[in-house]
Amino acid sequence: MKKYFELIAPCHFGMEAVLKREILDLGYEISQVEDGRVTFLGDDEAICRANVFLRTAERVLLKAGSFHAESFEELFQNTKNIPWEDLIPRDGKFWVAKASSIKSKLFSPSDIQRIMKKAMVERMKQAYGLQTFPETGSSYPLRVFLYKDQVTAGIDTSGDSLHKRGYRTLSSKAPITETLAAALILLTPWKKDRILVDPFCGSGTFPIEAAMMAANMAPGMNRSFLAEDWGNLIPRKCWYQAVDEANDLVDLDIQVDIQGYDLDGEVVRAARANAEAAGVEKLIHFQQRPLSALSHPKKYGFLITNPPYGERIEEKENLPGLYREIGERFQALDSWSAYIITAYEDAEKYIGRKADKNRKIYNGMIKTYYYQFLGPKPPDRKRGQQ
């Protein structure tokens, strides 16, 4: 008999609409959208498919419960009221891995973690008739969010964050996470029949994520997940079926024009190695190349990039010249669009054009801006053929 759950998918702040669309495309019903997370309904197969297929989620949590608590006594009693025995077996290893609190009376993460663990133990003592728990079985780490005194508890099914696709063994300075790169690409109208160039490719994350999208390659198909060992909730066959589905959808015979450049040859070699680990090295052209050499004969391409921010003081003085050159090279690309994520607040000034759209995004703890310079749409090919 199928089990049905509420599942929570955290994501980068501001990327909720992108993640919502991904979840709907997988065929699941959305129950709530909040800042930084989307909640949806699904069965045991949904846990597997969400982990394997979602490009922009940070992880997938199985929602255990939600309640109001303004005191530690309320936190304890309401946590104890959750039927943990329905989710965690008697030998399960369980702990509160992370607690975050915003605008709530309870704000000490360590106290929240300690009290909730104690309440879980008390509940499971009664349910299983045990005084102590061996905790020798599978892991069931809990993640807890408090917002305006509303507590939401979810058990982590993913383990390592979903941005860890498994391909990025070599990283450059100031890398962008795979999940954020995927979300930023999905915010553009880019499709696999359009050119994509990243002139500051670093470890290759933008080109690799784009190539995986073009080849219909699921981001989680080559990694493992914590909940694979949850025999009490998810049959092993569900994981096999999700990976089989992902394998069946891959198409590496497509024709694409995806390019990544960097001034540093070592960085370019690292990007190639990462693309090879992802299985998309044949779909991307990486090259050691300066920004000054950026050009392309074709129209209607996309520049999607994460240029230097100038975190170090000695680098800041180079930024006006760098962003002026970005503007000049972009202007020379006929009918192209540019999507640039940067923490440099004078980017538009030196690029020489006001962005058509601008979105504030936190990349880790750094406040960045996603400047969107929109080029014209290409002519409708079907209409031209009629």
Side-chain angles (χ1 to χ4, degrees), residues 244-297:
D244 285 347
E245 180 189 354
N247 278 313
D248 289 343
L249 292 170
V250 176
D251 179 10
L252 290 169
D253 296 325
I254 50 164
Q255 296 297 312
V256 291
D257 189 348
I258 299 172
Q259 302 178 27
Y261 310 140
D262 205 282
L263 194 56
D264 188 328
E266 285 293 316
V267 167
V268 171
R269 279 188 283 279
R272 281 200 191 104
N274 290 340
E276 191 173 348
V280 293
E281 73 278 8
K282 291 177 182 173
L283 303 179
I284 307 169
H285 174 67
F286 285 112
Q287 190 178 351
Q288 183 179 357
R289 193 172 179 180
L291 176 64
S292 59
L294 174 61
S295 65
H296 203 292

Short mmCIF file of all heavy atoms in Angstrom, two decimals, residues 244-297:
data_model
loop_
_atom_site.label_atom_id
_atom_site.label_comp_id
_atom_site.label_asym_id
_atom_site.label_seq_id
_atom_site.Cartn_x
_atom_site.Cartn_y
_atom_site.Cartn_z
N ASP A 244 16.18 4.46 -13.34
CA ASP A 244 15.87 3.90 -14.67
C ASP A 244 15.13 4.92 -15.53
O ASP A 244 15.42 5.09 -16.72
CB ASP A 244 15.02 2.63 -14.54
CG ASP A 244 15.83 1.43 -14.07
OD1 ASP A 244 17.08 1.51 -14.09
OD2 ASP A 244 15.21 0.42 -13.67
N GLU A 245 14.16 5.60 -14.92
CA GLU A 245 13.42 6.64 -15.64
C GLU A 245 14.37 7.73 -16.13
O GLU A 245 14.29 8.18 -17.28
CB GLU A 245 12.35 7.24 -14.72
CG GLU A 245 11.52 8.33 -15.37
CD GLU A 245 10.61 9.07 -14.38
OE1 GLU A 245 10.53 8.67 -13.20
OE2 GLU A 245 9.98 10.06 -14.81
N ALA A 246 15.29 8.13 -15.24
CA ALA A 246 16.25 9.18 -15.60
C ALA A 246 17.15 8.72 -16.75
O ALA A 246 17.39 9.47 -17.71
CB ALA A 246 17.10 9.55 -14.38
N ASN A 247 17.63 7.49 -16.69
CA ASN A 247 18.50 6.96 -17.75
C ASN A 247 17.79 6.90 -19.10
O ASN A 247 18.39 7.19 -20.14
CB ASN A 247 19.01 5.56 -17.38
CG ASN A 247 20.21 5.63 -16.45
OD1 ASN A 247 21.15 6.38 -16.69
ND2 ASN A 247 20.19 4.85 -15.37
N ASP A 248 16.52 6.55 -19.07
CA ASP A 248 15.74 6.44 -20.32
C ASP A 248 15.55 7.79 -21.01
O ASP A 248 15.35 7.83 -22.23
CB ASP A 248 14.36 5.82 -20.04
CG ASP A 248 14.45 4.33 -19.70
OD1 ASP A 248 15.51 3.73 -19.98
OD2 ASP A 248 13.48 3.80 -19.13
N LEU A 249 15.61 8.87 -20.24
CA LEU A 249 15.34 10.20 -20.80
C LEU A 249 16.58 10.87 -21.39
O LEU A 249 16.46 11.85 -22.13
CB LEU A 249 14.76 11.10 -19.70
CG LEU A 249 13.35 10.74 -19.21
CD1 LEU A 249 13.00 11.57 -17.98
CD2 LEU A 249 12.31 10.97 -20.31
N VAL A 250 17.77 10.37 -21.07
CA VAL A 250 19.01 11.03 -21.50
C VAL A 250 19.18 10.92 -23.02
O VAL A 250 19.00 9.86 -23.60
CB VAL A 250 20.23 10.42 -20.78
CG1 VAL A 250 21.53 11.03 -21.31
CG2 VAL A 250 20.13 10.63 -19.28
N ASP A 251 19.55 12.06 -23.63
CA ASP A 251 19.83 12.09 -25.07
C ASP A 251 21.13 12.87 -25.29
O ASP A 251 21.15 14.10 -25.29
CB ASP A 251 18.67 12.77 -25.82
CG ASP A 251 18.93 12.86 -27.32
OD1 ASP A 251 19.90 12.23 -27.79
OD2 ASP A 251 18.17 13.56 -28.01
N LEU A 252 22.23 12.14 -25.49
CA LEU A 252 23.53 12.77 -25.67
C LEU A 252 23.86 12.99 -27.15
O LEU A 252 24.96 13.43 -27.48
CB LEU A 252 24.63 11.91 -25.02
CG LEU A 252 24.61 11.90 -23.48
CD1 LEU A 252 25.55 10.84 -22.93
CD2 LEU A 252 24.98 13.28 -22.91
N ASP A 253 22.92 12.68 -28.03
CA ASP A 253 23.15 12.85 -29.48
C ASP A 253 22.67 14.20 -29.99
O ASP A 253 22.67 14.44 -31.20
CB ASP A 253 22.45 11.73 -30.26
CG ASP A 253 23.03 10.36 -29.94
OD1 ASP A 253 24.26 10.29 -29.71
OD2 ASP A 253 22.27 9.38 -29.90
N ILE A 254 22.28 15.07 -29.11
CA ILE A 254 21.77 16.38 -29.52
C ILE A 254 22.89 17.28 -30.04
O ILE A 254 24.06 17.08 -29.68
CB ILE A 254 21.05 17.07 -28.34
CG1 ILE A 254 21.97 17.05 -27.11
CG2 ILE A 254 19.72 16.46 -28.03
CD1 ILE A 254 21.57 17.99 -26.05
N GLN A 255 22.53 18.25 -30.84
CA GLN A 255 23.47 19.25 -31.35
C GLN A 255 23.27 20.54 -30.55
O GLN A 255 22.18 21.11 -30.56
CB GLN A 255 23.23 19.50 -32.84
CG GLN A 255 23.49 18.30 -33.73
CD GLN A 255 24.93 17.84 -33.69
OE1 GLN A 255 25.86 18.64 -33.83
NE2 GLN A 255 25.13 16.54 -33.48
N VAL A 256 24.31 20.96 -29.84
CA VAL A 256 24.21 22.19 -29.05
C VAL A 256 25.46 23.03 -29.27
O VAL A 256 26.49 22.54 -29.71
CB VAL A 256 24.06 21.90 -27.53
CG1 VAL A 256 22.72 21.29 -27.22
CG2 VAL A 256 25.18 20.99 -27.03
N ASP A 257 25.34 24.32 -28.94
CA ASP A 257 26.49 25.24 -28.99
C ASP A 257 26.62 25.88 -27.62
O ASP A 257 26.03 26.93 -27.34
CB ASP A 257 26.28 26.29 -30.09
CG ASP A 257 27.53 27.14 -30.34
OD1 ASP A 257 28.46 27.06 -29.51
OD2 ASP A 257 27.57 27.86 -31.35
N ILE A 258 27.35 25.21 -26.74
CA ILE A 258 27.57 25.69 -25.37
C ILE A 258 29.08 25.86 -25.20
O ILE A 258 29.85 24.93 -25.44
CB ILE A 258 27.02 24.69 -24.33
CG1 ILE A 258 25.50 24.52 -24.49
CG2 ILE A 258 27.35 25.16 -22.91
CD1 ILE A 258 24.91 23.41 -23.64
N GLN A 259 29.50 27.06 -24.77
CA GLN A 259 30.93 27.35 -24.68
C GLN A 259 31.28 27.97 -23.33
O GLN A 259 30.48 28.71 -22.76
CB GLN A 259 31.33 28.33 -25.80
CG GLN A 259 31.01 27.80 -27.20
CD GLN A 259 31.37 28.80 -28.28
OE1 GLN A 259 32.25 29.64 -28.10
NE2 GLN A 259 30.68 28.73 -29.41
N GLY A 260 32.47 27.63 -22.86
CA GLY A 260 32.97 28.20 -21.62
C GLY A 260 34.41 28.65 -21.80
O GLY A 260 35.24 27.89 -22.31
N TYR A 261 34.70 29.90 -21.43
CA TYR A 261 36.06 30.44 -21.55
C TYR A 261 36.56 30.86 -20.17
O TYR A 261 35.78 31.24 -19.30
CB TYR A 261 36.11 31.68 -22.45
CG TYR A 261 35.44 31.55 -23.78
CD1 TYR A 261 34.70 32.62 -24.30
CD2 TYR A 261 35.54 30.38 -24.53
CE1 TYR A 261 34.08 32.53 -25.53
CE2 TYR A 261 34.92 30.28 -25.76
CZ TYR A 261 34.19 31.36 -26.26
OH TYR A 261 33.57 31.27 -27.47
N ASP A 262 37.87 30.83 -20.02
CA ASP A 262 38.50 31.41 -18.84
C ASP A 262 39.92 31.79 -19.20
O ASP A 262 40.54 31.16 -20.06
CB ASP A 262 38.47 30.44 -17.66
CG ASP A 262 38.53 31.17 -16.32
OD1 ASP A 262 39.63 31.60 -15.92
OD2 ASP A 262 37.47 31.31 -15.68
N LEU A 263 40.42 32.81 -18.53
CA LEU A 263 41.78 33.27 -18.79
C LEU A 263 42.83 32.30 -18.25
O LEU A 263 43.95 32.22 -18.75
CB LEU A 263 41.97 34.66 -18.15
CG LEU A 263 43.17 35.49 -18.54
CD1 LEU A 263 43.22 35.72 -20.04
CD2 LEU A 263 43.14 36.82 -17.81
N ASP A 264 42.46 31.55 -17.23
CA ASP A 264 43.38 30.64 -16.53
C ASP A 264 43.31 29.23 -17.12
O ASP A 264 42.27 28.58 -17.06
CB ASP A 264 43.00 30.62 -15.04
CG ASP A 264 44.00 29.88 -14.17
OD1 ASP A 264 44.61 28.91 -14.67
OD2 ASP A 264 44.15 30.25 -13.00
N GLY A 265 44.41 28.76 -17.69
CA GLY A 265 44.44 27.44 -18.32
C GLY A 265 44.16 26.31 -17.35
O GLY A 265 43.50 25.32 -17.70
N GLU A 266 44.66 26.45 -16.10
CA GLU A 266 44.40 25.41 -15.09
C GLU A 266 42.91 25.30 -14.79
O GLU A 266 42.38 24.21 -14.63
CB GLU A 266 45.16 25.74 -13.79
CG GLU A 266 46.65 25.49 -13.83
CD GLU A 266 46.97 24.01 -13.94
OE1 GLU A 266 46.34 23.21 -13.23
OE2 GLU A 266 47.84 23.65 -14.76
N VAL A 267 42.27 26.44 -14.73
CA VAL A 267 40.83 26.48 -14.46
C VAL A 267 40.05 25.82 -15.60
O VAL A 267 39.11 25.06 -15.38
CB VAL A 267 40.36 27.94 -14.24
CG1 VAL A 267 38.85 28.05 -14.28
CG2 VAL A 267 40.87 28.46 -12.90
N VAL A 268 40.47 26.08 -16.83
CA VAL A 268 39.81 25.48 -17.99
C VAL A 268 39.97 23.96 -17.96
O VAL A 268 39.02 23.21 -18.24
CB VAL A 268 40.36 26.07 -19.30
CG1 VAL A 268 39.84 25.30 -20.51
CG2 VAL A 268 39.99 27.54 -19.43
N ARG A 269 41.16 23.48 -17.59
CA ARG A 269 41.38 22.02 -17.49
C ARG A 269 40.47 21.42 -16.41
O ARG A 269 39.93 20.32 -16.58
CB ARG A 269 42.85 21.72 -17.20
CG ARG A 269 43.72 21.76 -18.46
CD ARG A 269 45.13 21.28 -18.19
NE ARG A 269 45.93 22.29 -17.51
CZ ARG A 269 46.53 23.31 -18.13
NH1 ARG A 269 46.43 23.44 -19.44
NH2 ARG A 269 47.24 24.18 -17.44
N ALA A 270 40.32 22.14 -15.30
CA ALA A 270 39.43 21.67 -14.22
C ALA A 270 37.98 21.60 -14.71
O ALA A 270 37.26 20.66 -14.42
CB ALA A 270 39.54 22.59 -13.01
N ALA A 271 37.55 22.62 -15.47
CA ALA A 271 36.18 22.64 -16.00
C ALA A 271 35.95 21.46 -16.94
O ALA A 271 34.89 20.81 -16.89
CB ALA A 271 35.93 23.96 -16.73
N ARG A 272 36.95 21.16 -17.78
CA ARG A 272 36.82 20.00 -18.69
C ARG A 272 36.69 18.71 -17.89
O ARG A 272 35.89 17.84 -18.24
CB ARG A 272 38.06 19.92 -19.59
CG ARG A 272 38.04 20.88 -20.76
CD ARG A 272 39.00 20.43 -21.87
NE ARG A 272 39.14 21.49 -22.84
CZ ARG A 272 40.22 22.29 -22.93
NH1 ARG A 272 41.24 22.11 -22.10
NH2 ARG A 272 40.27 23.24 -23.85
N ALA A 273 37.51 18.58 -16.84
CA ALA A 273 37.45 17.37 -16.00
C ALA A 273 36.07 17.24 -15.34
O ALA A 273 35.51 16.15 -15.24
CB ALA A 273 38.55 17.41 -14.94
N ASN A 274 35.52 18.37 -14.89
CA ASN A 274 34.19 18.35 -14.28
C ASN A 274 33.12 17.95 -15.29
O ASN A 274 32.21 17.18 -14.99
CB ASN A 274 33.85 19.72 -13.68
CG ASN A 274 34.67 20.05 -12.45
OD1 ASN A 274 35.23 19.16 -11.80
ND2 ASN A 274 34.78 21.32 -12.11
N ALA A 275 33.23 18.47 -16.52
CA ALA A 275 32.26 18.14 -17.57
C ALA A 275 32.34 16.65 -17.92
O ALA A 275 31.32 16.00 -18.16
CB ALA A 275 32.53 18.98 -18.81
N GLU A 276 33.56 16.13 -17.90
CA GLU A 276 33.74 14.70 -18.18
C GLU A 276 33.10 13.86 -17.07
O GLU A 276 32.42 12.87 -17.33
CB GLU A 276 35.23 14.38 -18.29
CG GLU A 276 35.50 12.99 -18.84
CD GLU A 276 36.98 12.74 -19.11
OE1 GLU A 276 37.78 13.69 -19.08
OE2 GLU A 276 37.32 11.56 -19.34
N ALA A 277 33.28 14.30 -15.81
CA ALA A 277 32.67 13.60 -14.66
C ALA A 277 31.15 13.64 -14.75
O ALA A 277 30.47 12.70 -14.33
CB ALA A 277 33.14 14.22 -13.35
N ALA A 278 30.61 14.72 -15.33
CA ALA A 278 29.15 14.86 -15.48
C ALA A 278 28.63 14.10 -16.70
O ALA A 278 27.42 13.93 -16.85
CB ALA A 278 28.77 16.33 -15.60
N GLY A 279 29.54 13.68 -17.58
CA GLY A 279 29.13 12.94 -18.78
C GLY A 279 28.69 13.82 -19.93
O GLY A 279 28.05 13.34 -20.86
N VAL A 280 29.06 15.11 -19.88
CA VAL A 280 28.60 16.03 -20.94
C VAL A 280 29.76 16.73 -21.64
O VAL A 280 29.58 17.75 -22.29
CB VAL A 280 27.63 17.10 -20.37
CG1 VAL A 280 26.32 16.46 -19.92
CG2 VAL A 280 28.27 17.89 -19.22
N GLU A 281 30.98 16.16 -21.53
CA GLU A 281 32.14 16.85 -22.10
C GLU A 281 32.04 17.04 -23.61
O GLU A 281 32.56 18.01 -24.17
CB GLU A 281 33.44 16.10 -21.74
CG GLU A 281 33.69 14.78 -22.47
CD GLU A 281 32.95 13.59 -21.86
OE1 GLU A 281 32.11 13.80 -20.96
OE2 GLU A 281 33.23 12.46 -22.29
N LYS A 282 31.31 16.16 -24.31
CA LYS A 282 31.18 16.28 -25.77
C LYS A 282 30.21 17.39 -26.19
O LYS A 282 30.15 17.77 -27.36
CB LYS A 282 30.71 14.95 -26.37
CG LYS A 282 31.76 13.85 -26.27
CD LYS A 282 31.25 12.54 -26.80
CE LYS A 282 32.30 11.44 -26.64
NZ LYS A 282 31.76 10.11 -27.00
N LEU A 283 29.46 17.91 -25.22
CA LEU A 283 28.45 18.93 -25.53
C LEU A 283 28.94 20.35 -25.29
O LEU A 283 28.25 21.31 -25.57
CB LEU A 283 27.18 18.69 -24.71
CG LEU A 283 26.51 17.32 -24.88
CD1 LEU A 283 25.28 17.24 -23.98
CD2 LEU A 283 26.13 17.07 -26.33
N ILE A 284 30.16 20.49 -24.72
CA ILE A 284 30.66 21.82 -24.33
C ILE A 284 32.04 22.05 -24.94
O ILE A 284 32.90 21.16 -24.93
CB ILE A 284 30.78 21.94 -22.79
CG1 ILE A 284 29.46 21.58 -22.10
CG2 ILE A 284 31.19 23.36 -22.39
CD1 ILE A 284 29.59 21.41 -20.60
N HIS A 285 32.24 23.26 -25.45
CA HIS A 285 33.56 23.65 -25.94
C HIS A 285 34.18 24.59 -24.90
O HIS A 285 33.74 25.73 -24.74
CB HIS A 285 33.44 24.37 -27.29
CG HIS A 285 34.74 24.93 -27.77
ND1 HIS A 285 35.81 24.14 -28.14
CD2 HIS A 285 35.15 26.22 -27.94
CE1 HIS A 285 36.82 24.91 -28.51
NE2 HIS A 285 36.45 26.17 -28.40
N PHE A 286 35.21 24.08 -24.18
CA PHE A 286 35.94 24.91 -23.22
C PHE A 286 37.23 25.41 -23.88
O PHE A 286 37.88 24.68 -24.63
CB PHE A 286 36.30 24.11 -21.97
CG PHE A 286 35.14 23.86 -21.04
CD1 PHE A 286 34.64 22.57 -20.86
CD2 PHE A 286 34.55 24.90 -20.34
CE1 PHE A 286 33.58 22.34 -20.01
CE2 PHE A 286 33.49 24.67 -19.48
CZ PHE A 286 33.00 23.38 -19.31
N GLN A 287 37.60 26.64 -23.56
CA GLN A 287 38.80 27.22 -24.18
C GLN A 287 39.43 28.25 -23.26
O GLN A 287 38.72 29.03 -22.62
CB GLN A 287 38.42 27.86 -25.52
CG GLN A 287 39.60 28.27 -26.36
CD GLN A 287 39.16 28.87 -27.70
OE1 GLN A 287 37.99 28.82 -28.06
NE2 GLN A 287 40.09 29.43 -28.44
N GLN A 288 40.77 28.25 -23.22
CA GLN A 288 41.48 29.33 -22.52
C GLN A 288 41.43 30.55 -23.43
O GLN A 288 41.96 30.55 -24.53
CB GLN A 288 42.93 28.93 -22.25
CG GLN A 288 43.69 29.98 -21.45
CD GLN A 288 45.12 29.56 -21.16
OE1 GLN A 288 45.54 28.45 -21.52
NE2 GLN A 288 45.88 30.43 -20.51
N ARG A 289 40.78 31.60 -22.95
CA ARG A 289 40.51 32.72 -23.85
C ARG A 289 40.22 33.97 -23.02
O ARG A 289 39.44 33.91 -22.07
CB ARG A 289 39.29 32.37 -24.70
CG ARG A 289 39.02 33.26 -25.89
CD ARG A 289 37.91 32.63 -26.71
NE ARG A 289 37.58 33.42 -27.87
CZ ARG A 289 36.64 33.11 -28.75
NH1 ARG A 289 35.93 32.01 -28.58
NH2 ARG A 289 36.39 33.88 -29.77
N PRO A 290 40.80 35.10 -23.35
CA PRO A 290 40.51 36.33 -22.59
C PRO A 290 39.16 36.91 -22.98
O PRO A 290 38.63 36.63 -24.06
CB PRO A 290 41.65 37.27 -23.01
CG PRO A 290 42.00 36.83 -24.39
CD PRO A 290 41.79 35.33 -24.41
N LEU A 291 38.63 37.74 -22.11
CA LEU A 291 37.36 38.41 -22.38
C LEU A 291 37.43 39.22 -23.67
O LEU A 291 36.47 39.29 -24.43
CB LEU A 291 36.98 39.31 -21.21
CG LEU A 291 35.73 40.16 -21.35
CD1 LEU A 291 34.49 39.28 -21.48
CD2 LEU A 291 35.58 41.11 -20.17
N SER A 292 38.58 39.81 -23.95
CA SER A 292 38.74 40.66 -25.14
C SER A 292 38.51 39.89 -26.44
O SER A 292 38.20 40.49 -27.47
CB SER A 292 40.13 41.29 -25.17
OG SER A 292 41.12 40.27 -25.16
N ALA A 293 38.63 38.56 -26.38
CA ALA A 293 38.45 37.73 -27.59
C ALA A 293 37.02 37.21 -27.72
O ALA A 293 36.73 36.40 -28.60
CB ALA A 293 39.42 36.56 -27.57
N LEU A 294 36.12 37.68 -26.84
CA LEU A 294 34.74 37.20 -26.89
C LEU A 294 34.02 37.74 -28.13
O LEU A 294 33.84 38.95 -28.28
CB LEU A 294 33.99 37.63 -25.63
CG LEU A 294 32.48 37.33 -25.59
CD1 LEU A 294 32.21 35.84 -25.69
CD2 LEU A 294 31.85 37.89 -24.32
N SER A 295 33.63 36.84 -29.01
CA SER A 295 32.85 37.22 -30.19
C SER A 295 32.16 35.96 -30.71
O SER A 295 32.55 34.84 -30.35
CB SER A 295 33.75 37.80 -31.29
OG SER A 295 34.66 36.81 -31.76
N HIS A 296 31.12 36.15 -31.51
CA HIS A 296 30.42 35.01 -32.10
C HIS A 296 29.69 35.49 -33.34
O HIS A 296 29.05 36.54 -33.31
CB HIS A 296 29.42 34.42 -31.09
CG HIS A 296 29.09 32.99 -31.36
ND1 HIS A 296 28.36 32.59 -32.47
CD2 HIS A 296 29.39 31.84 -30.68
CE1 HIS A 296 28.22 31.28 -32.45
NE2 HIS A 296 28.83 30.80 -31.39
N PRO A 297 29.80 34.74 -34.45
CA PRO A 297 29.17 35.21 -35.69
C PRO A 297 27.64 35.07 -35.69
O PRO A 297 26.96 35.76 -36.45
CB PRO A 297 29.79 34.29 -36.76
CG PRO A 297 30.17 33.05 -36.01
CD PRO A 297 30.56 33.50 -34.64
#
